[in-house]
Amino acid sequence: MFRAVNHPQFVLYARPTFEQGPPRTRLREAWKRNLALQTHRPQTLTCPNGDKVRLPFSHDEYGRRIANLHAIMSDSDIPVVVLTSMHNIAYFSGFLYCSFGRPYALVVTHDHCTLVSANIDGGQPWRRSQCDNVIYTDWQRDNYWRAVKALVHGAKRIGVEADQLTLAMRDKAMDFLDSPELVDIAPAAMVSRMVKSSEERALIREGARIADLGGAAIREAIRVGAREIDVAIAGRNAMELEIADTFPNGEMRDTWVWFQSGLNTDGAHNPVTTRKLRSGDLLSLNAFPMISGYYTALERTLFLGEPDAATLKLWNANVAAHEHGLSLIKPGASCSGITGELNRFLEAEDLLKYRSFGYGHSFGVLSHYYGREAGLELREDIDTVLRPGMVISMEPMLWVPEGTPGAGGYREHDILIVTEDGAENITAFPYGPGANVIAA
């Protein structure tokens, strides 16, 4: 009896538990059986297992996105594009993959759109995408690239996402695809995602509403002695249950809360801990409902107990910066221009030295572990001009180090949809000391 041992390329056979014939004969027979298995195992397959499910957007919406990608391809004389990022594959196909060390692709030509997925996912990529699906197997190394090769049809000029293509993957592409010219289409694809359709804006509105519900659950759970994790769970549970009720056909994944207290408020992305809340704590509420890969957020400063004078001064100053920033969001304003104006505002208050990061960013298909429309962030080095249909946050943050009166992190965050003549704030949760001082 032999027991199989998994190996990336083939199956090795372990030493038998008892002797059966000469060792060399046993090994030769095992190797023959292994080769026979390899011969009958497919490199790729198709398996439309079940019916297509209802995706977060209509067929027309996905068609609009693919048409925009086709326009990018035509402008750059590219016959085929191989998308590899989670955000672009989700945006153009509807399927948000879970890599777990396996590569994925969306191969788009002017006539076809095909998702390349790993066999471990079964029929899920077929069901949750608007396009065709080819599955590659693990039986032989590089079956992924064999699947991609069959779909690019020998193209000598291929669009790729340079910011997603590792050196190892680039080398594989050059080897398997016969050294094509690789053209970076990531920046153009990002620009095509920046202006949101009416369907996208409707989903983002729901996300903002659900973030507000999560914020209310978080605020209700705040009390002396509660752990950060306990408060975070309350907010996450409230949001996930509401997402399940509002989007019953969607996948439940990735919604999370960062709830920080005391010293832990100094970083915007500090993870939740088991620290217990104390009277006199500065608090930071960060609720992130995720709907089909679409990120929305609510972030607020709170205080447990009675704030001291230094804390109130800093908190009110950041609220003033937030409100000034909200007034600057409008079509025709540039990201760098808004940033410069807010820098001057904080400099006048002698607070610019405490500014932590950029003042806001785009929304859409993004997450803390994939994707971002980096060309639409409120920073000094980005000159993108706001247009109707863009969705952007206003979120100034001050970080005051320990040992300084009022030490901690102060942050407010609203989501705005740029309109024809201004911007609509779709975040309703109140901000400032008048609303978010919690009795100890």
Side-chain angles (χ1 to χ4, degrees):
M1 288 292 276
F2 293 90
R3 54 187 176 86
V5 179
N6 290 331
H7 186 278
Q9 284 184 296
F10 45 81
V11 177
L12 296 175
Y13 287 87
R15 183 178 179 86
T17 56
F18 56 89
E19 295 298 321
Q20 281 186 338
R24 190 169 295 177
T25 300
R26 293 199 312 272
L27 184 59
R28 186 183 303 114
E29 292 304 313
W31 185 253
K32 287 179 180 179
R33 286 193 294 271
N34 177 58
L35 291 177
L37 282 171
Q38 291 301 317
T39 302
H40 294 93
R41 286 173 168 173
Q43 295 174 340
T44 64
L45 57 99
T46 59
C47 185
N49 195 41
D51 297 327
K52 295 281 192 182
V53 301
R54 182 178 176 181
L55 295 177
F57 303 104
S58 68
H59 288 295
D60 287 344
E61 169 64 12
Y62 288 111
R64 178 192 70 84
R65 298 176 182 187
I66 292 294
N68 286 343
L69 185 57
H70 284 162
I72 293 169
M73 294 164 64
S74 295
D75 289 344
S76 299
D77 190 26
I78 300 171
V80 59
V81 163
V82 180
L83 300 171
T84 51
S85 69
M86 294 181 75
H87 47 279
N88 271 328
I89 290 178
Y91 182 79
F92 290 105
S93 79
F95 177 67
L96 183 65
Y97 69 74
C98 176
S99 174
F100 246 117
R102 294 173 171 87
Y104 289 70
L106 184 68
V107 181
V108 181
T109 68
H110 285 283
D111 301 314
H112 294 95
C113 177
T114 307
L115 180 65
V116 178
S117 63
N119 197 20
I120 195 171
D121 288 332
Q124 182 82 334
W126 157 260
R127 294 192 297 273
R128 291 200 169 272
S129 66
Q130 56 84 24
C131 55
D132 295 332
N133 175 224
V134 170
I135 298 170
Y136 71 92
T137 68
D138 285 347
W139 315 137
Q140 188 177 10
R141 188 179 295 277
D142 294 324
N143 280 345
Y144 166 82
W145 284 108
R146 294 181 179 93
V148 172
K149 181 176 182 177
L151 293 168
V152 303
H153 301 297
K156 291 301 181 183
R157 189 170 164 85
I158 299 176
V160 297
E161 299 174 79
D163 58 349
Q164 299 292 318
L165 206 59
T166 65
L167 293 175
M169 288 289 277
R170 185 194 64 186
D171 290 345
K172 290 280 189 182
M174 297 301 285
D175 184 26
F176 274 84
L177 306 182
D178 300 322
S179 300
E181 180 184 0
L182 301 180
V183 182
D184 184 17
I185 56 90
M190 176 185 65
V191 171
S192 78
R193 302 194 310 268
M194 283 185 184
V195 175
K196 312 304 175 187
S197 68
S198 58
E199 291 189 30
E200 287 180 286
R201 296 196 299 272
L203 186 147
I204 291 170
R205 288 178 190 277
E206 285 297 286
R209 178 184 68 82
I210 292 168
D212 286 344
L213 293 176
I218 290 169
R219 188 167 56 185
E220 181 66 24
I222 293 171
R223 59 182 56 86
V224 172
R227 299 175 302 174
E228 289 181 0
I229 184 61
D230 299 323
V231 179
I233 287 172
R236 187 201 63 209
N237 287 352
M239 292 189 292
E240 288 195 327
L241 290 171
E242 184 64 20
I243 292 171
D245 289 342
T246 306
F247 299 93
N249 297 303
E251 296 176 306
M252 300 300 300
R253 60 186 290 185
D254 300 333
T255 292
W256 85 103
V257 168
W258 280 323
F259 179 75
Q260 302 139 349
S261 63
L263 180 63
N264 295 337
T265 63
D266 65 345
H269 301 158
N270 291 352
V272 175
T273 75
T274 58
R275 181 185 184 276
K276 292 183 178 181
L277 307 190
R278 309 166 189 165
S279 180
D281 273 348
L282 189 66
L283 307 173
S284 187
L285 173 164
N286 308 270
F288 307 105
M290 293 292 296
I291 306 167
S292 298
Y294 273 68
Y295 164 106
T296 45
L298 169 70
E299 300 173 11
R300 289 290 185 260
T301 299
L302 306 95
F303 198 88
L304 183 56
E306 190 63 34
D308 58 80
T311 294
L312 278 176
K313 182 178 179 180
L314 287 162
W315 191 357
N316 282 321
N318 199 54
V319 165
H322 180 63
E323 292 177 338
H324 185 49
L326 293 174
S327 72
L328 299 175
I329 304 295
K330 61 187 67 173
S334 71
C335 292
S336 57
I338 294 170
T339 301
E341 176 59 29
L342 286 172
N343 282 345
R344 288 187 287 274
F345 182 89
L346 290 177
E347 181 65 34
E349 301 293 325
D350 194 30
L351 294 175
L352 186 58
K353 59 190 175 186
Y354 297 136
R355 175 189 155 192
S356 180
F357 53 83
Y359 293 108
H361 59 79
S362 181
F363 283 81
V365 181
L366 63 100
S367 174
H368 57 309
Y369 59 89
Y370 63 86
R372 192 175 185 91
E373 291 162 14
L376 186 53
E377 294 189 25
L378 300 180
R379 295 184 356 187
E380 291 87 346
D381 58 337
I382 295 177
D383 296 322
T384 302
V385 174
L386 300 188
R387 296 164 52 194
M390 289 180 170
V391 183
I392 195 165
S393 63
M394 174 51 59
E395 49 176 312
M397 177 177 176
L398 300 177
W399 165 35
V400 181
E402 284 294 288
T404 307
Y410 300 81
R411 184 166 68 260
E412 314 296 344
H413 176 297
D414 288 7
I415 302 172
L416 296 98
I417 298 175
V418 181
T419 62
E420 294 294 334
D421 55 2
E424 177 190 1
N425 190 335
I426 60 173
T427 298
F429 197 91
Y431 57 79
N436 291 322
V437 171
I438 312 296

